[in-house]
Amino acid sequence: MNKIAKFEKVSFEQFEKDWMKNFPETADVRAVYDGIKLPKRATVGSAGYDFYAPADICFKKGESTLVPTGIRCKIDEGWVLSIYPRSGLGFKHRCQLDNTVGIIDSDYYNSSNEGHIMIKISCDAHDEGHKAEVACGDGFSQGIFTQFGITVDDETDGIRNGGFGSTTK
């Protein structure tokens, strides 16, 4: 097996800033940060690394929720981390990523936000008033590493600095 990446936590300062933008009612952000679990595979045959909820999260029908994971990932060049919702959330509650698949490039690690992986999920359940609740420490999404290639005439020289949509600014 190729070992091509390493998960780490972002700094507390970065996490606190991102977390409080999305969950301003949180009383003890330090406790949330201290409880963050690094992604891991559930079984030896698993392709996906489970991302765990840093706190209790409720995905309400018709709403989007941006979850700062507190995680960053150092990835070798030529590899990408693709983020997907856990299949149980999709199957039971019609939860899906707002951008369908999250793409974490190797150069995202050095972004101004420390490469903080944030996952935005919507709940599109059929029944009114539905919500999907994920307990702190439970898996809510998964990441899969894949190798990619570039064209022989590639001349890209841009430098990343940011997250969602930053490469087209």
Side-chain angles (χ1 to χ4, degrees), residues 73-132:
C73 190
K74 191 172 204 172
I75 307 169
D76 287 354
E77 280 189 46
W79 290 84
V80 65
L81 175 62
S82 300
I83 306 290
Y84 305 93
R86 289 281 306 269
S87 55
L89 279 178
F91 189 77
K92 295 175 190 169
H93 306 286
R94 292 189 54 139
C95 287
Q96 55 208 349
L97 268 63
D98 280 22
N99 58 343
T100 64
V101 176
I103 299 297
I104 310 300
D105 300 303
S106 63
D107 61 351
Y108 184 52
Y109 182 83
N110 296 313
S111 292
S112 59
N113 71 348
E114 299 181 23
H116 191 180
I117 298 172
M118 295 191 266
I119 300 171
K120 192 171 188 181
I121 293 182
S122 293
C123 179
D124 190 27
H126 290 297
D127 54 325
E128 249 351 273
H130 187 89
K131 61 186 174 190

Side-chain angles (χ1 to χ4, degrees), residues 61-79:
K61 177 181 170 54
E63 295 183 16
S64 293
T65 304
L66 181 63
V67 180
T69 65
I71 304 297
R72 66 192 285 197
C73 190
K74 191 172 204 172
I75 307 169
D76 287 354
E77 280 189 46
W79 290 84

